[in-house]
Amino acid sequence: MAIPHPLKTLLAGGALTLLTAGQALAETPLNGELRGTGDLGVVIERATGSVALVDTTRREVLRHVEGFGDLSHASVKFTRDARYAFVFGRDGGLTRLDLLTGEINARIIQGGNSIGGAISQDGRFVAVGNYEPGGVKVFDTETMELVIDVPATYQRPDGSSAQAKVVGVVDVPGNIFVFSLFEAGEIWTLDMSQDEPELTQYRDVGSMPYDALITANGRYYIAGLFGEDGMALLDLWHPENGVQRILPDYGQGEQRLPVYKMPHLEGWAMAGDQAFFPAVGRNEVLVADSRDWSLTNRIEVHGQPIFVMSRPDERQVWVTFAHPLNDKVQVIDTQTHEVIQTLEPGESILHKEFTPRGEHIWISARDSNQVVVYDTRTFEELARLPAESPSGIFFTHRAHRIGL
């Protein structure tokens, strides 16, 4: 079990250039229509460096917005008031989109390669996790100024130091960010609640944490391990206990399939006391008892699962799959653990998002250049919306949920 490293503070340094779309924010409503942001969302259009701004009630695209750089692996976080969307790009870009005007109003290049981040509980800070040069940078959400730069420096077995890729950045209650270091096999927490940020390091959590999630109540941070079976769990209600290994031998002695794409853990499914998550290198969705994190079932599915997400009422789990079997979506009943529906929305299916109360689901058919909307009760297709190589789908209700 890892023992927390002594707390230490890292001060921000260096200059930062802020590029804005004008000295004052535009006040012209999108399409000349006053609206709230509660039923808006953003769809990443990865091939063109653009996003589609969508209305989830009307099931329509309001505008395609360009200028976001490399979105080949991108994610989105929304500000506390759900007016702005921060888009994290693979080129190190951090771009702020005004959802009411449909325009970019700020953009910076803060690193060489970033794939995600988080916004603090109080909405003041946005943290970016970087592959290159490694580490986390935290910015003021209003001014986009750098607040703190935390290099992901770790010690190799030979005593030399290196920078690790940062993955699994999430926000937790108390204005704390949690993230994992891929090469280092470590989990760090960054407490932004005081004038001087505090960093805690948990070492030797497991081999190559590749992604992570936070449970909806903000208690458990769980990192998936690519280098070995099992997962690493940090109980944030009792951080003094360090990081614990859970499900340590779910694949012991079994032959893995080639891994075509790493599964994502952010959207894994919680249903009552059950947790549903993707098995690495296996055509299975695993089920664990979240009271003691013991493995209780394996559900055979169409292919290697990537996104395993529960409908908001937790009665269904929707699963998408890695190449080459990424042409289908399967639906699992959380009570019977049976696959109850298989859908074929189009070509290259991966990303999906439920509407806030779960009556509809939006699914990206990347190579079909469409977003497909289904009724989650009847499985009826409701709409097909045009999008350029759509991938991630993000709705504004995430602004009010821990870790999303």
Side-chain angles (χ1 to χ4, degrees):
M1 183 181 298
I3 299 175
H5 188 274
L7 299 177
K8 71 175 182 178
T9 300
L10 297 175
L11 299 179
L16 192 67
T17 301
L18 178 64
L19 305 179
T20 63
Q23 294 299 315
L25 297 181
E27 296 297 337
T28 303
L30 177 63
N31 298 342
E33 180 181 354
L34 292 174
R35 71 179 77 240
T37 60
D39 58 357
L40 298 184
V42 171
V43 179
I44 298 296
E45 298 179 304
R46 57 178 291 156
T48 53
S50 60
V51 305
L53 182 55
V54 299
D55 184 313
T56 64
T57 298
R58 298 178 179 178
R59 299 195 292 274
E60 65 181 11
V61 176
L62 300 174
R63 177 177 293 182
H64 298 272
V65 187
E66 300 179 343
F68 291 86
D70 184 353
L71 298 184
S72 58
H73 190 301
S75 62
V76 175
K77 300 294 180 181
F78 297 98
T79 54
R80 183 185 177 96
D81 60 3
R83 174 164 182 177
Y84 300 102
F86 278 93
V87 180
F88 305 84
R90 202 63 187 256
D91 56 359
L94 177 63
T95 310
R96 188 172 63 197
L97 170 66
D98 188 330
L99 299 178
L100 291 183
T101 65
E103 297 179 352
I104 292 173
N105 68 21
R107 174 173 168 79
I108 59 174
I109 302 298
Q110 57 78 44
N113 187 338
S114 60
I115 63 167
I119 291 180
S120 61
Q121 185 178 39
D122 64 4
R124 294 172 55 204
F125 306 113
V126 53
V128 187
N130 285 307
Y131 271 16
E132 297 175 6
V136 169
K137 290 183 179 179
V138 180
F139 300 89
D140 185 296
T141 55
E142 291 189 5
T143 67
M144 299 280 279
E145 293 179 351
L146 182 65
V147 176
I148 186 171
D149 183 358
V150 185
T153 304
Y154 72 101
Q155 296 296 121
R156 294 192 180 106
D158 63 6
S160 62
S161 61
Q163 289 287 319
K165 298 181 184 68
V166 168
V167 298
V169 182
V170 301
D171 62 284
V172 301
N175 284 345
I176 297 171
F177 296 114
V178 189
F179 49 94
S180 297
L181 279 63
F182 179 75
E183 293 88 351
E186 299 180 6
I187 293 173
W188 293 6
T189 66
L190 180 63
D191 187 339
M192 300 294 297
S193 63
Q194 305 297 322
D195 290 340
E196 292 190 356
E198 293 182 324
L199 182 71
T200 305
Q201 299 168 313
Y202 299 85
R203 303 189 187 281
D204 301 321
V205 305
S207 177
M208 292 184 282
Y210 64 86
D211 196 10
L213 63 95
I214 188 76
T215 53
N217 61 2
R219 177 170 184 177
Y220 296 112
Y221 179 85
I222 302 172
L225 302 175
F226 183 63
E228 58 187 281
D229 289 323
M231 297 182 172
L233 178 145
L234 175 61
D235 184 345
L236 292 161
W237 290 8
H238 298 285
E240 69 279 2
N241 293 334
V243 175
Q244 305 171 31
R245 192 68 55 83
I246 62 172
L247 305 172
D249 55 2
Y250 72 77
Q252 193 172 42
E254 298 180 8
Q255 180 66 41
R256 291 188 180 189
L257 299 171
V259 177
Y260 296 104
K261 180 175 175 60
M262 292 304 300
H264 285 253
L265 296 182
E266 177 188 281
W268 84 335
M270 302 295 293
D273 293 327
Q274 300 179 100
F276 296 76
F277 55 95
V280 177
R282 297 174 179 84
N283 295 347
E284 296 175 338
V285 170
L286 306 179
V287 188
D289 186 328
S290 62
R291 293 169 296 185
D292 61 8
W293 301 105
S294 60
L295 186 67
T296 60
N297 199 7
R298 305 164 184 247
I299 303 170
E300 185 176 350
V301 289
H302 170 66
Q304 292 182 34
I306 297 295
F307 284 102
V308 177
M309 297 176 63
S310 63
R311 198 171 68 178
D313 65 359
E314 301 182 351
R315 288 295 306 276
Q316 296 174 353
V317 166
W318 290 59
V319 187
T320 51
F321 304 98
H323 175 83
L325 300 177
N326 59 347
D327 59 336
K328 292 180 175 63
V329 180
Q330 290 192 314
V331 184
I332 297 171
D333 184 294
T334 59
Q335 293 185 308
T336 66
H337 293 181
E338 294 179 353
V339 175
I340 60 172
Q341 188 72 30
T342 298
L343 301 170
E344 298 184 35
E347 300 180 27
S348 297
I349 306 302
L350 188 59
H351 297 274
K352 55 192 180 295
E353 178 86 323
F354 290 98
T355 50
R357 298 193 181 188
E359 73 278 10
H360 301 155
I361 189 170
W362 292 44
I363 299 172
S364 286
R366 188 190 67 202
D367 291 351
S368 299
N369 293 312
Q370 292 178 325
V371 174
V372 187
V373 184
Y374 288 97
D375 184 302
T376 60
R377 182 177 61 87
T378 66
F379 306 113
E380 175 189 1
E381 182 181 309
L382 301 176
R384 284 184 176 262
L385 309 179
E388 294 290 335
S389 299
S391 55
I393 305 173
F394 306 87
F395 295 159
T396 54
H397 70 279
R398 289 171 170 252
H400 311 297
R401 296 179 60 190
I402 294 170
L404 294 180

